[in-house]
Amino acid sequence: MQQTMHHSATTSTAPVPARRRGSRGVRPMRLARMMIAVLLAVVLPVQQALAISLIRDAETETFLRDISEPVFVAAGLNPQAVNTYIVNASSINAFVTGGQNVFMHTGTIQQAETPNEIIGVMAHETGHITGGHLSRSQEAVATATAPAIIGYLLGIGALFAGAGDAGLALITGGQTLAQRTFLSYSRTQEASADQAALDFLERTGQSGQGLVSFFDKLADQEALSERSQDPYVRTHPLSRERIAALENRVSLSPFKDAQDPKEWQERLELVKAKLHGFIDRPAVTFRRYPETNTSKPARYARAIAYYKIPNTDRAVQEMNALIADYPDNAYFHEFKGQILFESGRAAEAADAYAAAERLLPDQPLILVGLGQALLGTGEKAKVSEARATLERATQIERDYPTAFRLLAQAYADEGNTAMAALSTSEQYAAGGRLPEAKQWAERAKRELPQGSPAWQRADDISRIEKPRL
């Protein structure tokens, strides 16, 4: 499991109190901050990915894709065009952003009792995509922002007139009205997405009960303060009437009692154990999965906890025992490879990753792990194998910076500086760092044969324009 951090500036949405010194006590910078706070309070519901920590894990990603793909197909979407991201956050939440990007909190997965609950959430978010709610949300934001701006302007006038309390009341009043305007629009979208989700589930012969039970878990939170609510409640307004409408339709479905495949339930328990093992403190994991629990998920979680302590020998021992009992589980071999590589045993790690790759030959994250381990051996004879492995990984997944960084290292070790420069350019492009990507692309073009496929790719990168906001 790998974690990548995506940061951008965040600003508090709470208005900054004015100093009690008359109009001169309110500085222009402070006013600007208040305006930013007001606008962010309106825009944030549809800009939820400002600063998030993303997890990359082959097992969890594959599980989510396998259980969601039938829904995407039923919705008329190309499953390959839908990107699912795992957010490292203990809260229950899921949301969609520009295009077909679905973000799922680890807390949602960890608190799900059945795959059907996760499928229901994914179906609901798919309903937002097919309903065009993302583009319509921009219209809602524009409509909702108007009261905030009017309230802001009136409030600023009052502040400069010396009426600090009245000015702040006008500003926050406009903010509150704007939020209500947006949320009233959002409730319409939510009802539409609910119905679309049930349509998709019926087309796939699956029950909608998971969506109902998921909402039941959250319904009581509407009475809590926003600080105590899970983000899903704030961004997906719930009500007992809404849940009742869902329950009524699900009760009439011929698939209301349909059960998840047993294999999916088993995979969910393993994924939950893995997330708990990596995210929780080892002491918490050992309490959650005591030694008396000899199930496969419990043994998996404890192995991860030993790895985190770190007690490498015990972690490897636990994984060897699991692999002996379940030799066809590619992810057990993969995790053993991670333990070994991070403890400086690259050659052994390469063997473990190779075993995982034989079981899942087209899994890009496993290929990246194998390539990294081969490079880590420091053996020249392994460099070409590492380069070929990483080339396969980048052909399957084009937006993983780590894969291109390692590929650049492999090319450099082979003495191919031109392709190393191109791979470095790809690394920066995949990471959204366009100036650096262009710089390295130009460097690659100077060394590559003009007109060759590699040169053409470098030329394409050098011509990418910064997207307009």
Side-chain angles (χ1 to χ4, degrees):
M1 180 177 289
Q2 302 177 34
Q3 182 171 302
T4 55
M5 306 294 291
H6 292 255
H7 295 295
S8 61
T10 57
T11 306
S12 170
T13 58
V16 181
R19 296 182 181 179
R20 295 182 178 274
R21 297 180 184 174
S23 61
R24 292 184 181 274
V26 185
R27 299 179 180 178
M29 182 59 72
R30 182 162 297 213
L31 295 178
R33 287 175 179 169
M34 279 193 285
M35 181 56 181
I36 291 172
V38 172
L39 293 179
L40 280 176
V42 179
V43 176
L44 277 177
V46 292
Q47 299 292 335
Q48 303 172 63
L50 287 177
I52 57 178
S53 166
L54 297 180
I55 286 177
R56 295 300 314 269
D57 177 63
E59 184 172 13
T60 308
E61 290 178 9
T62 303
F63 171 69
L64 290 177
R65 185 175 64 249
D66 287 349
I67 66 174
S68 302
E69 187 168 302
V71 170
F72 297 149
V73 172
L77 301 176
N78 177 1
Q80 301 304 315
V82 181
N83 302 308
T84 302
Y85 300 94
I86 305 166
V87 181
N88 183 11
S90 60
S91 53
I92 297 177
N93 200 15
F95 55 92
V96 294
T97 62
Q100 299 179 14
N101 302 303
V102 182
F103 291 78
M104 176 75 70
H105 282 208
T106 54
T108 305
I109 302 170
Q110 289 171 299
Q111 296 190 46
E113 296 177 22
T114 65
N116 189 243
E117 288 189 356
I118 300 175
I119 294 167
V121 173
M122 293 295 284
H124 176 88
E125 299 304 327
T126 302
H128 282 307
I129 294 174
T130 58
H133 296 166
L134 296 175
S135 59
R136 294 178 187 176
S137 291
Q138 301 304 317
E139 300 171 10
V141 168
T143 301
T145 304
I149 294 175
I150 293 171
Y152 167 76
L153 293 175
L154 293 174
I156 292 302
L159 289 171
F160 276 102
D165 291 341
L168 286 176
L170 285 166
I171 290 173
T172 56
Q175 173 183 337
T176 301
L177 179 58
Q179 288 177 320
R180 287 177 179 172
T181 301
F182 181 83
L183 289 177
S184 66
Y185 184 94
S186 182
R187 288 187 183 96
T188 302
Q189 294 181 341
E190 292 306 304
S192 172
D194 287 346
Q195 295 306 309
L198 296 182
D199 286 341
F200 304 150
L201 293 171
E202 289 197 1
R203 292 174 197 170
T204 60
Q206 297 180 88
S207 173
Q209 188 57 49
L211 183 60
V212 173
S213 61
F214 176 79
F215 284 164
D216 273 334
K217 292 178 181 178
L218 295 171
D220 293 336
Q221 294 201 20
E222 285 204 315
L224 302 176
S225 67
E226 284 200 2
R227 184 169 297 181
S228 302
Q229 291 175 345
D230 273 299
Y232 203 91
V233 177
R234 299 196 296 272
T235 57
H236 298 67
L238 294 170
S239 69
R240 285 297 176 186
E241 291 79 9
R242 179 181 166 196
I243 295 175
L246 280 171
E247 289 176 334
N248 181 61
R249 180 166 173 190
V250 170
S251 68
L252 300 175
S253 170
F255 306 108
K256 65 178 180 179
D257 296 321
Q259 300 296 308
D260 294 315
K262 183 179 178 181
E263 178 208 359
W264 284 6
Q265 185 68 46
E266 292 174 349
R267 290 172 66 184
L268 172 61
E269 296 306 322
L270 284 172
V271 165
K272 289 170 62 174
K274 188 173 198 176
L275 291 174
H276 280 301
F278 271 101
I279 295 171
D280 298 343
R281 290 181 293 107
V284 174
T285 301
F286 289 132
R287 285 198 299 271
R288 187 186 300 275
Y289 297 99
E291 292 287 346
T292 53
N293 185 342
T294 58
S295 67
K296 181 163 49 170
R299 295 166 65 188
Y300 198 16
R302 289 196 298 269
I304 296 168
Y306 283 121
Y307 151 80
K308 286 181 62 181
I309 289 177
N311 184 339
T312 301
D313 290 342
R314 182 63 184 273
V316 171
Q317 177 185 339
E318 295 288 337
M319 290 312 301
N320 281 338
L322 275 171
I323 290 170
D325 291 340
Y326 308 98
D328 294 332
N329 188 310
Y331 305 113
F332 288 169
H333 294 280
E334 179 199 25
F335 178 54
K336 178 183 174 181
Q338 180 178 346
I339 299 170
L340 292 168
F341 180 79
E342 293 181 9
S343 61
R345 298 156 66 177
E348 295 175 76
D351 290 339
Y353 277 116
E357 186 271 339
R358 285 192 291 272
L359 292 166
L360 286 178
D362 295 321
Q363 219 304 321
L365 296 184
I366 290 177
L367 290 171
V368 169
L370 174 57
Q372 181 174 240
L374 290 169
L375 288 175
T377 65
E379 299 177 25
K380 289 186 177 180
K382 300 288 188 182
V383 173
S384 294
E385 183 181 354
R387 187 251 308 147
T389 299
L390 292 163
E391 283 178 338
R392 285 173 55 203
T394 57
Q395 288 166 4
I396 297 169
E397 182 169 335
R398 301 292 300 172
D399 59 356
Y400 189 29
T402 299
F404 284 108
R405 175 179 60 78
L406 292 168
L407 181 57
Q409 179 184 335
Y411 278 125
D413 288 349
E414 288 183 323
N416 191 339
T417 58
M419 290 301 294
L422 176 58
S423 295
T424 302
S425 176
E426 296 271 22
Q427 172 196 341
Y428 285 123
R433 297 172 61 177
L434 194 54
E436 293 94 335
K438 287 174 171 284
Q439 178 184 349
W440 282 95
E442 291 295 341
R443 179 172 174 178
K445 284 172 64 177
R446 290 194 294 269
E447 299 185 42
L448 291 165
Q450 187 168 355
S452 66
W455 185 94
Q456 290 285 1
R457 175 56 187 154
D459 188 57
D460 288 343
I461 294 174
S462 68
R463 295 175 183 274
I464 295 175
E465 295 185 4
K466 185 177 181 179
R468 295 179 180 179
L469 298 178

